[in-house]
Amino acid sequence: MARITPLSGFPEWLPDGRVVEQHVLDVLRRTFELHGFAGIETRAVEPLDQLLRKGETSKEVYVLHRLQAEDEEDATAPRSEKQLGLHFDLTVPFARYVLENAGRLAFPFKRYQIQKVWRGERPQDGRFREFTQADIDVVGAGELPYHYEVELPLVMAEALGALRDVGVPAVRVLVNNRKVAEGFYRGLGIEDVEGVLRQIDKLDKIGAEQVAALLVSEQGATAQQAGACLDLAAISGSDATVVSRVRALADEHGAGTELLDEGLGELAALIEAAAARAPGVVVADLKIARGLDYYTGSVYETVLVGHEDLGSICSGGRYDTLASDGKNTYPGVGLSVGVSRLVSRLLSAGLLAATRGVPTSVLVAVSDEESRATSDAVAAALRARGIPADVAPTAAKFGKQIKFADRRGIPFVWFPGEEHQVKDIRTGDQVAADPAVWAPPAEDLHPRVVPAV
RNA sequence: GUGGCUAUAGCUCAGUCGGUAGAGCGCCUGGUUGUGGUCCAGGAGGUCGCCGGUUCAAGCCCGGUUAGCCACCCCA
């Protein structure tokens, strides 16, 4: 018998962990729907050429392969056309979905999408090969008003904030604007904007000195240019002084450009609105770069306060050309929550817990197998009134039946008889009860997620 | 894909200088009149990841391999 071993990067929760995950998903969905996002699901696979366009060559895509096709396939040379790959995010499939259904959708189109995605990268703490993302996006036809770039991160902040009462830490949404960075870099005379962003992104990990060295050695920047880039990246804050500080820095280096001004205008609007609608949550941070090359405006990253080591649990940005069929383009903005990353940390850090791993609120004991029908009838009466009930598997000694409930966190055990009785096994209280009217306290009706003490 | 660390009971881990295996927790049974948790007594459970080598003798030393963890890369 081959030994069963865990498969790295493919997380599976125990039932009580699933209760936590399901709660997170429920809260996200409820908030998204409150804001008018329509739910969709796209297929798990996309043609490989769709997934790999936009120069996403570094993406580790799982390719789908029919076992029976092995013989037929090796001869065929070009294997990009019909090959299928599992999607590695929900944004690219959504862009395809928009193009495919453009004639039937109403724009601006707001949608949420919660699905598994797959990436072949090496797994680590909080990094998986199979994980769940919860996305919201808005796309417009031809154009998309800027105010959506303000609203989307605020919707996310609200959704994640709605989890605070079960013990999820506060979140901080870090925002930047591609136009600011690009405008500034070009003003400095730097050509390789992408390369500089990539190095700047390493700031937290390797420090300013190393990044400066890399900018000179890898991107061919002068020491002055590198210094200016680092000065820009050092700017952060949640009020309008951020914008004036960037302006001052640009003036100092003669790096003012039209693009920079446009970006600063947008960033200012975002900070201002966020300060009013979600004080203290949104922070401008000019070192936020984002690796994905299709972002053109605002970019977002979100960290759990106190768990910055986990990295971003929710990120996204504005994209203008992702969904384009040549004639029509559908610019969009969206963010994606790494649900698996979030839940894995919540559970591993013991920040919260489920009250139980089974739905059952009441276990109906069985006195002896001859009277099992009596117990079944009690359970049926409870279920008919919406009370999750289960019947003991065997007519074991009552001590064992209570233990059965205790092991599963079931709070109540029902003893049928001349006079029915129900026992709260946490307190030991046992009272006479009628299957037709008795109900558990509301907080014991269903499993709940509660903060760890 | 690259590098480092690790692999012993269901879980967390000991195991000395090489001498064929241990603890805690969990699990099962019992402690009389079928009401659990505490306590007491007893019990089950391990091809020491896998393959090979050195040795009289390998959990321990050496080589390989697989898997896991961490870091890089990249990202949720």
Side-chain angles (χ1 to χ4, degrees), chain A residues 286-364:
Chain A
L286 278 292
K287 72 170 180 297
I288 298 301
R290 311 279 313 127
L292 297 175
D293 53 6
Y294 52 69
Y295 292 127
T296 50
S298 299
V299 290
Y300 320 100
E301 288 197 357
T302 310
V303 292
L304 275 185
V305 175
H307 297 268
E308 289 77 7
D309 63 294
L310 187 62
S312 175
I313 57 153
C314 172
S315 56
R318 159 91 183 217
Y319 46 88
D320 282 293
T321 54
L322 187 59
S324 174
D325 58 12
K327 279 200 288 188
N328 305 297
T329 143
Y330 302 87
V333 56
L335 291 97
S336 177
V337 183
V339 175
S340 303
R341 172 174 291 184
L342 172 63
V343 170
S344 72
R345 175 56 62 98
L346 296 176
L347 294 175
S348 69
L351 297 173
L352 41 67
T355 51
R356 58 182 186 261
V358 294
T360 317
S361 180
V362 183
L363 177 74
V364 183

Side-chain angles (χ1 to χ4, degrees), chain A residues 106-119:
Chain A
F107 295 95
F109 177 52
K110 301 168 71 172
R111 80 90 174 78
Y112 72 87
Q113 192 172 346
I114 300 175
Q115 287 179 244
K116 287 276 174 64
V117 304
W118 294 267
R119 295 180 190 176

Side-chain angles (χ1 to χ4, degrees), chain A residues 262-295:
Chain A
E262 189 182 332
L264 283 176
E266 293 182 358
L267 193 57
L270 176 47
I271 296 169
E272 215 168 293
R277 290 169 59 176
V281 174
V282 175
V283 179
D285 191 333
L286 278 292
K287 72 170 180 297
I288 298 301
R290 311 279 313 127
L292 297 175
D293 53 6
Y294 52 69
Y295 292 127

Side-chain angles (χ1 to χ4, degrees), chain A residues 31 35 136 148-159 173 270 273-275 277-279 281-282 300 335:
Chain A
T31 310
H35 285 267
I136 50 173
Y148 285 116
E149 290 176 56
V150 176
E151 288 180 17
L152 274 271
L154 291 173
V155 172
M156 270 303 183
E158 184 179 323
V173 182
L270 176 47
R277 290 169 59 176
V281 174
V282 175
Y300 320 100
L335 291 97

Side-chain angles (χ1 to χ4, degrees), chain A residues 38-329:
Chain A
I40 67 164
E41 178 170 281
T42 62
R43 63 201 183 203
V45 296
E46 297 289 340
L48 209 49
D49 52 353
Q50 277 282 326
L51 290 174
L52 296 179
R53 76 206 174 109
K54 289 284 167 192
E56 302 271 357
T57 44
S58 62
K59 284 277 191 268
E60 288 279 2
V61 175
Y62 278 108
V63 172
L64 220 56
H65 196 73
R66 262 194 319 123
L67 206 54
Q68 297 299 332
E70 266 174 12
D71 298 333
E72 320 161 17
E73 207 143 339
D74 49 36
T76 55
R79 47 189 226 159
S80 57
E81 283 289 304
K82 284 187 163 181
Q83 282 243 318
L84 299 178
L86 292 169
H87 57 216
F88 52 79
D89 71 8
L90 301 178
T91 309
V92 171
F94 175 56
R96 189 270 309 158
Y97 177 94
V98 167
L99 290 175
E100 200 168 311
N101 297 289
R104 283 165 287 186
L105 295 172
F107 295 95
F109 177 52
K110 301 168 71 172
R111 80 90 174 78
Y112 72 87
Q113 192 172 346
I114 300 175
Q115 287 179 244
K116 287 276 174 64
V117 304
W118 294 267
R119 295 180 190 176
E121 302 158 355
R122 279 289 174 84
Q124 267 175 52
D125 183 25
R127 291 187 51 188
F128 305 104
R129 287 175 162 167
E130 177 182 75
F131 59 100
T132 300
Q133 285 195 325
D135 260 52
I136 50 173
D137 279 85
V138 183
V139 293
E143 56 182 24
L144 183 76
Y146 172 74
H147 66 84
Y148 285 116
E149 290 176 56
V150 176
E151 288 180 17
L152 274 271
L154 291 173
V155 172
M156 270 303 183
E158 184 179 323
L160 293 167
L163 291 163
R164 294 290 305 278
D165 61 354
V166 297
V168 175
V171 298
R172 184 175 298 128
V173 182
L174 309 173
V175 305
N176 193 3
N177 194 299
R178 274 286 166 86
K179 294 174 184 172
V180 174
E182 184 169 350
F184 185 84
Y185 297 159
R186 294 207 186 284
L188 286 174
I190 291 173
E191 296 292 321
D192 185 4
V193 173
E194 284 295 322
V196 172
L197 282 173
R198 197 180 306 279
Q199 304 299 352
I200 291 292
D201 201 38
K202 298 176 183 171
L203 207 45
D204 282 337
K205 294 217 162 145
I206 63 177
E209 277 181 39
Q210 300 239 40
V211 169
L214 283 170
L215 286 173
V216 173
S217 65
E218 302 293 316
Q219 264 64 45
T222 66
Q224 284 82 357
Q225 288 173 328
C229 290
L230 286 168
D231 286 344
L232 179 71
I235 294 174
S236 71
S238 52
D239 57 49
T241 67
V242 169
V243 171
S244 55
R245 278 185 280 159
V246 174
R247 277 229 165 75
L249 186 68
D251 292 343
E252 184 186 325
H253 293 277
T257 60
E258 209 172 296
L259 190 60
L260 175 65
D261 286 338
E262 189 182 332
L264 283 176
E266 293 182 358
L267 193 57
L270 176 47
I271 296 169
E272 215 168 293
R277 290 169 59 176
V281 174
V282 175
V283 179
D285 191 333
L286 278 292
K287 72 170 180 297
I288 298 301
R290 311 279 313 127
L292 297 175
D293 53 6
Y294 52 69
Y295 292 127
T296 50
S298 299
V299 290
Y300 320 100
E301 288 197 357
T302 310
V303 292
L304 275 185
V305 175
H307 297 268
E308 289 77 7
D309 63 294
L310 187 62
S312 175
I313 57 153
C314 172
S315 56
R318 159 91 183 217
Y319 46 88
D320 282 293
T321 54
L322 187 59
S324 174
D325 58 12
K327 279 200 288 188
N328 305 297
T329 143

